[in-house]
Amino acid sequence: MHIPSGSTSTLELLSFSQALEQALQPSLDYDTEQWLYVPNTYQEYRYILGTRGTHPLICVGINPSTAAPGDLDNTLKSVERVALHNGFDSFIMFNVYAQRATDPDDMEEVCNPTLHRENMEAFRYILSLDQQKCPAIWAAWGTIIEKRPYLPDCVRDMIAIGEEYHAQWFTAGKRSKKGHPHHPLYLRKDSGLDSFDVSTYLQTCL
């Protein structure tokens, strides 16, 4: 379990560029040629966790929990299986908001604009990694998007950035009655990806 120690506004946050520079250096804790982990040590926040490849499936949840390289939780194990089944050579777990909290009810009530800005820099970076120049984004946040009023606004910023990179959005599994994309945890490992009009979703479902 990870319970936030307090508001992220009280933390000395590493910018994404600083955290990435450290994450690209060799580590005694994990193989940096296999893993992308930013920041590269366990913090109250996480920008990126994933494997390295030329055509990653970018899975977007709400916020990170306790997973780390070589210590994936069941959600991340499911993400990796679905990515490989659908022809991707790697996966990247990204989140709408970067604060760690195993229980989303423990997320801070107010968006930290600095943390959000750096998280969007991380999003730009991972979109640039796809060597096919058509990054695939898997919306997988479930109904948790309703937990905080700032979360849809964070997704709107992601949509705008995605348009710059000609990103394609997908879902996997059955959507909720309100149209929310399915969470990865209980998906079959052979689940396919369905096209997702995320802009219309935000207008009609939130």
Side-chain angles (χ1 to χ4, degrees):
M1 292 285 292
H2 184 100
I3 300 174
S5 61
S7 170
T8 60
S9 63
T10 65
L11 303 175
E12 292 186 13
L13 296 174
L14 282 172
S15 70
F16 173 69
S17 60
Q18 291 172 322
L20 177 63
E21 182 178 1
Q22 295 177 9
L24 295 178
Q25 302 301 315
S27 171
L28 296 176
D29 298 323
Y30 63 95
D31 183 357
T32 55
E33 293 187 1
Q34 178 185 359
W35 294 95
L36 183 61
Y37 183 42
V38 189
N40 65 344
T41 57
Y42 194 92
Q43 303 285 341
E44 289 283 318
Y45 57 98
R46 190 187 75 209
Y47 297 126
I48 300 171
L49 172 59
T51 52
R52 293 187 178 274
T54 61
H55 187 41
L57 177 60
I58 301 166
C59 181
V60 181
I62 284 295
N63 69 305
S65 183
T66 61
D71 187 22
L72 300 182
D73 55 26
N74 288 333
T75 295
L76 271 290
K77 290 176 182 178
S78 179
V79 169
E80 184 172 37
R81 289 192 296 265
V82 171
L84 295 177
H85 172 74
N86 284 277
F88 297 88
D89 65 357
S90 52
F91 78 93
I92 293 175
M93 190 70 210
F94 184 74
N95 291 278
V96 176
Y97 197 64
Q99 183 189 31
R100 282 191 194 264
T102 301
D103 185 344
D105 286 331
D106 291 328
M107 292 173 63
E108 51 197 1
E109 297 287 343
V110 178
C111 177
N112 179 344
T114 301
L115 182 62
H116 173 61
R117 182 187 67 237
E118 297 305 323
N119 200 39
M120 293 301 98
E121 289 302 311
F123 191 55
R124 288 181 184 277
Y125 174 76
I126 59 178
L127 292 181
S128 74
L129 294 177
D130 191 299
Q131 295 185 12
Q132 296 187 19
K133 307 300 182 185
C134 189
I137 307 171
W138 170 14
W141 47 72
T143 59
I144 306 172
I145 190 99
E146 299 181 357
K147 289 287 184 180
R148 296 290 183 266
Y150 57 81
L151 294 172
D153 289 334
C154 294
V155 174
R156 289 184 180 92
D157 289 343
M158 294 173 62
I159 293 172
I161 295 170
E163 289 175 351
E164 297 176 23
Y165 290 85
H166 308 289
Q168 294 181 309
W169 289 81
F170 299 93
T171 59
K174 186 178 180 180
R175 299 175 199 171
S176 74
K177 290 182 179 180
K178 291 186 64 175
H180 298 309
H182 199 290
H183 190 276
L185 184 56
Y186 299 112
L187 288 176
R188 293 167 52 97
K189 64 181 180 181
D190 59 352
S191 296
L193 297 175
D194 302 311
S195 295
F196 184 44
D197 185 342
V198 69
S199 296
T200 298
Y201 158 77
L202 284 177
Q203 294 171 4
T204 59
C205 299
L206 294 175

